[in-house]
């Protein structure tokens, strides 16, 4: 299935469904897409999203489900609500900044993904994962490079993960207003780095990430 477009100038096309269709043809009904957001920031958790869409989904709600990085915040919010209303199951998992410091960002990302899968209301029969596999999960799976642009299920998971993490960072912004988390979401902007230099790192910063790890601060 090729990406569809609609006449509304504010709408965007949706990601392909080819991977899911091939799995349906092989007898898999519960196909889960998985993606994460937040591997690179200096603060906050890494968050994974997982979504099981209905087989061969249809409807205008699909338009706009694509790589979350290619969407505006309002577009993501609208698609997020559509996904929650129409998916057979969806969930998120996270690994905290402290866990990232303890075990490293790659294992923490895998941990967040496992937590997301474990909290699903349905048990997936197959996993489509953005970028890298999850060998610790005993479910058939396929890792797809740039999967959030190539799989509708992964794209949906990327939106769920991104909206969830943005909301978490907005909450942290209220708790630690001096850092501006609501704006940069914990990424290493020049302003964010200046605030770290001025106030020192907060409890939700990643002390194992540069430049914080070079600053002499410890938890």
């Amino acid at each position: 299935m090729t990406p569809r477009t609609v006449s509304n100038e504010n709408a965007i096309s949706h990601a392909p469904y080819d991977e899911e269709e091939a799995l349906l043809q092989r007898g898999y009904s519960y196909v889960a897409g998985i993606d994460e957001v937040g591997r690179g920031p200096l603060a906050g958790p890494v968050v994974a999203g997982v979504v099981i869409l209905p087989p061969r989904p249809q409807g205008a709600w699909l338009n706009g489900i694509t790589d979350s990085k290619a969407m505006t915040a309002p577009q993501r919010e609208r698609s997020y609500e559509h996904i929650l209303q129409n998916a057979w199951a969806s969930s998120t998992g996270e690994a905290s900044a402290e866990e990232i410091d303890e075990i490293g960002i790659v294992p923490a990302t895998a941990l967040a993904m496992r937590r997301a899968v474990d909290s699903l209301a349905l048990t997936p029969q197959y996993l489509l994962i953005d970028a890298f596999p999850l060998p610790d999960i005993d479910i058939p799976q396929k890792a797809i490079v740039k999967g959030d642009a190539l799989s509708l299920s992964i794209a949906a998971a990327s939106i769920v993960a991104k909206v969830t993490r943005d909301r978490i960072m907005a909450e942290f912004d209220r708790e630690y207003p001096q850092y501006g988390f609501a704006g940069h979401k914990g990424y290493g902007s020049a302003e964010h780095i200046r605030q770290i230099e001025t106030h020192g790192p907060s409890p939700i910063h990643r002390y194992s990430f540069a430049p914080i790890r070079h600053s002499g601060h410890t938890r």
Side-chain angles (χ1 to χ4, degrees), residues 36-39 44-48 93-116 132 134 206 208-209:
E36 54 74 27
V37 65
R39 291 179 68 181
V46 59
V47 176
E94 64 182 86
S96 68
E98 187 170 4
E99 288 174 318
I100 292 168
D101 288 342
E102 288 176 355
I103 64 176
I105 185 58
V106 172
T109 300
L111 176 61
M113 289 181 170
R114 289 198 299 272
R115 287 170 172 169
F132 65 92
L134 294 171
R206 302 175 184 180
S208 60
F209 279 35

Side-chain angles (χ1 to χ4, degrees), residues 39-76:
R39 291 179 68 181
L42 305 180
V46 59
V47 176
V50 57
V51 175
I52 299 178
L53 295 174
R56 300 184 181 94
Q58 298 181 9
W61 67 276
L62 295 173
N63 293 293
I65 297 180
T66 188
D67 176 4
S68 63
K69 297 185 294 295
M71 304 169 69
T72 65
Q75 287 171 334
R76 285 193 295 268

Side-chain angles (χ1 to χ4, degrees), residues 153-166:
S153 298
I154 296 176
S158 78
I159 293 167
V160 170
K162 174 64 173 168
V163 171
T164 298
R165 188 177 188 279
D166 283 356

